[in-house]
Each structure stands twice: as structure tokens, then as C-alpha cells.
Amino acid sequence: MKKLTIGHLYPDLLNLYGDRGNIQCFRKRLEWRGMEAEVIPFLSGEKIDFTKLDIVLLGGGSDREQELVCGFLKEIRDDFREYVENDGVVLAVCGGYQLLGKYYKTDKKMIEGLGILDITTEWEPERLIRNIVLQSPLFERPVVGFENHGGRTYIGDHTPFGKVFYGLGNTGKSGYEGVVYKNVIATYLHGPLLPKNPHVCDHLLKRALQRKYGADVELEPLPDELEHKANSYIVNRYSDRKYILKETIKRHT
Ligand code: GLN
């Protein structure tokens, strides 16, 4: 039986807005296809053997929690970087996204990140809080979620996860959201992201399965009518709002 091992990093500190629901989604969508997930939570300070992991989840947290996590990142930096460069699959959400970068500068502190992505984040007093809809070149179906962050993330030459159609995204101004790098998706979308966007879940599962079992692994489709309806409901609800960049989003049914 095919099996993926999922490392949940620092759930004691980084778990805002149900980010751990993403793990349940990975697990169920594997199980529904006759595969298995082993989930290993790594509490802050615990040793992490990245060579045993197929998927890593780094969730969101408050500035204070991120500052605490920062102390543990130095110990894992080199192994985590090697995992990413070896095409390890990562989903990093909000605070976790920021911590993959070089730093997050708040009004009080400079929080040093992992430096795996060449990005920086700077805090501004007005929080960016909103439902969000984006179109990612990875998928035909839009990606929907919820964002709540004080940090503005500057992604330099990195490829964004998607273009914002409704909502605010990386800086509230750039029109883009998140970063995609190798098999890493780093994004501000809480929510949890994956149950709302099963296509994103399957994309990450497929990458992890192919890395482990070979490039010819395919995922059989699941009956996702309800999930697609929920996704489309959000897309259509925001498709004519004023924050939308109108040019290309399609209405989905
Ligand atoms: N503390 C960070 C910020 O406010 C991340 C917040 C989050 O993970 N939701 O930008």
C-alpha cells in the first residue's frame, strides 16, 4: 500500500484558523484512494529528520509565536533547505510562508526566517483581512480562501502562487499572492486551504507520490461535486466585487 509521511511542524505554536485541517484533507484524500498517511507532529524544539518526510506543513501564527519559532529554525535550516532543493513537498501558510523567507520585520522585532525563499516581509499597521480568490497558473479552477496578515511580503524574482481577483494578497498592492518554488506552495490563504480547494490538495499529493514512487503515479479522480460547488459559490459571490481585477476570471458552475 502506498503511504506518505506528513510532518506537521510546530503545531503547538503555528496553528491559526484551522490550518491543521489541511492535514486531515491530505489524509482523507489518500485514504479514499486506498493509500495511507502517517502524520508526525513535531513540537517546537523537537528533532526533525526531513529524509523521512514526504510532505511538510508549516502553518500560520501570531507575531509572538513566530518569534518563538524563530529560535528553533536555526537548527533545522540546512536540512529543511536540502529537503526543498530535493523536491520535497511543502505547504506553508501565512506565518509559515513568511518564515520560509529571509526575515519578517514587525514594529517591534526583526524575526529571522529560514532564508529558503528569497523573499522578505515587513509589517504595516493596517491588517489585510479578507476572503480572497485567485487564479493560479497551476490550476484551471480558481483558489479560494481567507487572509489575515499584518505582514507585506515582497517576493522579488520568485513566481507567485497566483493572481489576485478578489482580496489583497502579498502586499495588498502587487496583485499577486504567495510563491511557488519547486514543490513548495507558500501562501497567505488560511481557511483551511485544502478542503476548500481539493485541486490544490491533489496537486501536492501527486507531487509527493511521484517523488516517492516514480513519475508515472497518477491520482484517480474523486467525486468532488460538493467541494466544487462550495468553491464556485465563493468565486461567484466575489466575481463582481470592486476589488476584483476583472480581466480573465471565469465564472465556474
Ligand atoms: N503574524 C503574521 C502577520 O500578521 C502572520 C499571521 C498569520 O499567520 N495569520 O502577518
Side-chain angles (χ1 to χ4, degrees), residues 22 26 55-59 89-93 185-187 193-194 204:
N22 291 312
F26 280 133
I55 298 180
V56 167
L57 175 79
L58 198 56
V89 171
V90 178
L91 175 63
V93 178
I185 291 182
T187 175
L193 169 69
L194 299 183
L204 294 171

Side-chain angles (χ1 to χ4, degrees), residues 173-191:
K173 296 192 181 109
S174 69
Y176 290 100
E177 202 292 313
V179 163
V180 180
Y181 174 70
K182 293 178 103 70
N183 284 335
V184 177
I185 291 182
T187 175
Y188 272 114
L189 273 62
H190 285 286

Side-chain angles (χ1 to χ4, degrees), residues 146-158:
F146 165 73
E147 58 179 324
N148 181 355
H149 48 111
R152 272 63 169 168
T153 298
Y154 300 93
I155 68 168
D157 292 335
H158 275 291

Side-chain angles (χ1 to χ4, degrees), residues 93-161:
V93 178
C94 201
Y97 166 28
Q98 297 171 344
L99 289 174
L100 284 185
K102 289 183 168 165
Y103 63 79
Y104 170 31
K105 192 167 166 222
T106 72
D107 54 334
K108 300 183 193 74
K109 283 263 157 50
M110 180 67 134
I111 302 174
E112 201 186 337
L114 288 154
I116 292 173
L117 300 179
D118 198 3
I119 62 172
T120 58
T121 301
E122 309 219 355
W123 181 90
E124 286 185 26
E126 192 197 338
R127 292 193 74 76
L128 305 182
I129 309 176
R130 202 169 288 278
N131 285 317
I132 176 164
V133 177
L134 52 110
Q135 188 78 56
S136 170
L138 297 174
F139 314 106
E140 208 205 312
R141 183 170 288 278
V143 179
V144 303
F146 165 73
E147 58 179 324
N148 181 355
H149 48 111
R152 272 63 169 168
T153 298
Y154 300 93
I155 68 168
D157 292 335
H158 275 291
T159 306
F161 178 38

Side-chain angles (χ1 to χ4, degrees), residues 2-251:
K2 290 194 177 70
K3 175 180 156 183
L4 292 180
T5 304
I6 302 171
H8 187 183
L9 267 55
Y10 312 136
D12 50 335
L13 292 172
L14 299 180
N15 186 32
L16 276 182
Y17 314 123
D19 286 340
R20 80 172 67 228
N22 291 312
I23 302 241
Q24 285 302 98
C25 192
F26 280 133
R27 186 202 286 284
K28 286 316 282 185
R29 295 182 73 81
L30 282 173
E31 284 174 2
W32 286 332
R33 294 168 163 120
M35 294 182 269
E36 202 188 323
E38 183 190 0
V39 179
I40 310 180
F42 294 100
L43 302 183
S44 40
E46 280 184 343
K47 286 236 169 323
I48 303 172
D49 181 355
F50 283 89
T51 64
K52 300 266 187 312
L53 302 181
D54 304 305
I55 298 180
V56 167
L57 175 79
L58 198 56
S62 66
D63 292 358
R64 192 189 71 84
E65 289 161 333
Q66 286 174 282
E67 201 187 319
L68 293 172
V69 165
C70 168
F72 305 110
L73 295 183
K74 287 180 190 66
E75 290 156 33
I76 62 164
R77 176 173 296 150
D78 292 345
D79 292 348
F80 199 171
R81 183 193 302 274
E82 201 178 320
Y83 170 82
V84 167
E85 294 304 323
N86 284 331
D87 299 320
V89 171
V90 178
L91 175 63
V93 178
C94 201
Y97 166 28
Q98 297 171 344
L99 289 174
L100 284 185
K102 289 183 168 165
Y103 63 79
Y104 170 31
K105 192 167 166 222
T106 72
D107 54 334
K108 300 183 193 74
K109 283 263 157 50
M110 180 67 134
I111 302 174
E112 201 186 337
L114 288 154
I116 292 173
L117 300 179
D118 198 3
I119 62 172
T120 58
T121 301
E122 309 219 355
W123 181 90
E124 286 185 26
E126 192 197 338
R127 292 193 74 76
L128 305 182
I129 309 176
R130 202 169 288 278
N131 285 317
I132 176 164
V133 177
L134 52 110
Q135 188 78 56
S136 170
L138 297 174
F139 314 106
E140 208 205 312
R141 183 170 288 278
V143 179
V144 303
F146 165 73
E147 58 179 324
N148 181 355
H149 48 111
R152 272 63 169 168
T153 298
Y154 300 93
I155 68 168
D157 292 335
H158 275 291
T159 306
F161 178 38
K163 186 163 187 163
V164 177
F165 285 100
Y166 177 82
L168 295 156
N170 282 335
T171 65
K173 296 192 181 109
S174 69
Y176 290 100
E177 202 292 313
V179 163
V180 180
Y181 174 70
K182 293 178 103 70
N183 284 335
V184 177
I185 291 182
T187 175
Y188 272 114
L189 273 62
H190 285 286
L193 169 69
L194 299 183
K196 291 180 174 177
N197 300 283
H199 44 304
V200 181
C201 186
D202 282 0
H203 169 82
L204 294 171
L205 288 177
K206 191 169 161 185
R207 291 293 179 95
L209 287 164
Q210 290 185 335
R211 177 171 176 261
K212 187 165 184 183
Y213 294 105
D216 57 343
V217 176
E218 284 297 331
L219 280 182
E220 57 184 273
L222 292 172
D224 283 330
E225 288 78 18
L226 267 183
E227 288 85 345
H228 288 167
K229 260 193 185 159
N231 178 286
S232 302
Y233 174 80
I234 298 292
V235 173
N236 295 337
R237 181 169 159 198
Y238 291 109
S239 64
D240 51 5
R241 298 292 181 92
K242 66 177 174 169
Y243 289 96
I244 204 150
L245 306 173
K246 281 193 187 295
E247 66 265 49
T248 56
I249 198 151
K250 295 181 218 138
R251 286 181 76 87

